[in-house]
Amino acid sequence: MNPLLEVRDLARHYPVRSAPWRRPATLRAVDGVSLGLPAGRTLGLVGESGCGKSTTARLVLGLLPPTGGEVLFEGQPVPSVRGPRWRALRQRMQMVYQDPLAALDRRLPAQDQVAEPLAIFHRGTAAERRERARAMLASVGLTPALMARYPHELSGGQRQRVVLARALILGPALLVCDEPVSALDVSIQAQVINLLQDLQEQHQLAYLFISHDLKVVRQLSHEVAVMYLGRIVEQCTAQALFSHPAHPYTQALVAAVPSPWRSTRAPRIVLRGEPPNPAAPPAGCAFHSRCAQAMPACRAVRPALREIAPGHAAACHLLAQA
Ligand code: SF4
């Protein structure tokens, strides 16, 4: 399957100088990430806060220039400069943010918010744009009575439906969803997840789905990539990840999630300490200071991401020995 989205060795580094007499350091927010996402599929991107998931999302959309690597969308490089080519590509790649109230314009009613991208790209007359916006809002489950309301007059779930309608109005092929349900109540989360699944089927949408909530990722994702300190440490199908996580970090994340995939609940693995400072990562495996299975080699040599089974890659010296 040809990928709709291809990310090759993507990097975003920031120079950091804490004091004038100190040597400048480099914060490696994203460090050599490679991903592929075919049309109509969902790739979950998971990891703790600060691991580089959201920076990866912004790099994919060209909202942030990379310091290395490249992003290809529908076979074309995504420009990091916001010119006409970037604007044309952005119609096919949209973002869904965590906080729908912050993402919406509080001065516009729902139907005008959804019609706005059509006006920006000069599509149709004002009456046609309004008609298309109302049809799109209806397709995400908003009743006609709610379409004239302002964001503060809608519930969290209704606002996220408006955000989705606005993201879909230009006919994108890819939605980059950054924690799209984490600000919602659990019952509303389930409704929005079902809606995302229905929309994917109807529009053949691809989702890059970023979340720290593995329960949600398990429901939606076909493939999952696990990030730790700016790098991918494991990538495989969702089924393989949740039934046979290979990397010790993934095992700890998965063990914390109640799972119908396992017959007995795996013992909880408590991760020691916090993730290291990304501006001063440890030598060798970046996870070694928290890994119960660390060996002397782990402190000296960084493990490469390598295939450990067909379609299943992980970066761990233990797995290289297997
Ligand atoms: Fe743990 Fe070593 Fe594997 Fe890193 S390489 S995850 S420290 S066993």
Side-chain angles (χ1 to χ4, degrees), residues 295-306:
M295 310 170 284
C298 304
R299 294 178 184 86
V301 183
R302 185 163 73 191
L305 187 69
R306 59 184 280 274

Side-chain angles (χ1 to χ4, degrees), residues 247-249 285-295 297-299 301-303 315-319:
H247 192 282
Y249 177 59
C285 173
F287 186 57
H288 81 245
S289 58
R290 305 170 79 195
C291 181
Q293 301 176 66
M295 310 170 284
C298 304
R299 294 178 184 86
V301 183
R302 185 163 73 191
C316 174
H317 293 310
L318 277 179
L319 302 164

Side-chain angles (χ1 to χ4, degrees), residues 40 106 164 248 260 316:
R106 297 175 195 224
L164 281 170
C316 174

Side-chain angles (χ1 to χ4, degrees), residues 5-299:
L5 174 73
E6 207 177 342
V7 173
R8 292 183 188 155
D9 208 17
L10 195 62
R12 176 69 197 189
H13 298 169
Y14 297 92
V16 182
R17 189 187 279 273
S18 52
W21 58 88
R22 293 237 166 104
R23 277 217 344 251
T26 301
L27 189 153
R28 296 168 189 272
V30 174
D31 195 20
V33 165
S34 296
L35 301 166
L37 174 58
R41 307 283 286 180
T42 301
L43 173 64
L45 192 56
V46 303
E48 292 163 292
S49 296
C51 70
K53 308 184 296 287
S54 296
T55 307
T56 303
R58 300 189 66 206
L59 290 166
V60 162
L61 290 170
L63 298 172
L64 203 58
T67 44
E70 64 175 348
V71 179
L72 300 176
F73 178 74
E74 295 180 327
Q76 293 181 55
V78 174
S80 49
V81 180
R82 298 188 189 191
R85 211 160 66 79
W86 180 83
R87 278 167 55 82
L89 267 185
R90 275 307 307 279
Q91 296 179 60
R92 304 276 295 147
M93 313 163 75
Q94 294 287 326
M95 181 98 176
V96 178
Y97 293 94
Q98 176 179 3
D99 180 359
L101 191 56
L104 294 170
D105 185 338
R106 297 175 195 224
R107 299 161 303 175
L108 290 179
Q111 59 197 18
D112 292 358
Q113 310 250 1
V114 177
E116 196 176 36
L118 295 172
I120 292 170
F121 286 96
H122 311 292
R123 298 215 195 152
T125 64
E128 287 165 350
R129 291 197 287 267
R130 176 159 300 206
E131 207 41 53
R132 281 184 59 187
R134 289 179 70 82
M136 185 56 79
L137 282 166
S139 78
V140 297
L142 219 69
T143 59
L146 297 173
M147 294 178 191
R149 291 200 186 167
Y150 290 85
H152 68 274
E153 297 173 318
L154 299 171
S155 69
Q158 289 163 350
R159 284 181 207 133
Q160 200 57 299
R161 287 172 193 271
V162 177
V163 168
L164 281 170
R166 195 175 63 176
L168 292 174
I169 195 76
L170 293 172
L174 170 69
L175 291 192
V176 177
C177 306
D178 192 359
E179 306 274 7
V181 296
S182 56
L184 306 176
D185 294 343
V186 175
S187 61
I188 307 295
Q189 272 190 9
Q191 291 173 19
V192 174
I193 289 167
N194 289 341
L195 175 62
L196 284 167
Q197 287 173 321
D198 291 346
L199 292 171
Q200 181 166 56
E201 221 173 282
Q202 282 167 30
H203 301 277
Q204 268 297 293
L205 287 168
Y207 296 144
L208 178 60
F209 191 88
I210 292 166
S211 180
H212 66 274
D213 185 341
L214 266 72
K215 291 193 300 301
V216 174
V217 169
R218 186 175 59 201
Q219 276 178 273
L220 269 169
S221 304
H222 300 99
E223 286 244 345
V224 182
V226 181
M227 279 188 87
Y228 188 79
L229 226 62
R231 300 180 73 87
I232 304 287
V233 296
E234 185 161 4
Q235 186 171 1
C236 57
T237 63
Q239 175 155 18
L241 190 105
F242 287 103
S243 56
H244 300 102
H247 192 282
Y249 177 59
T250 316
Q251 288 169 354
L253 295 181
V254 171
V257 184
S259 175
W261 297 70
R262 295 186 297 273
S263 51
T264 52
R265 174 97 187 263
R268 181 106 192 242
I269 303 168
V270 179
L271 286 176
R272 294 176 292 176
E274 296 293 317
N277 178 358
C285 173
F287 186 57
H288 81 245
S289 58
R290 305 170 79 195
C291 181
Q293 301 176 66
M295 310 170 284
C298 304
R299 294 178 184 86

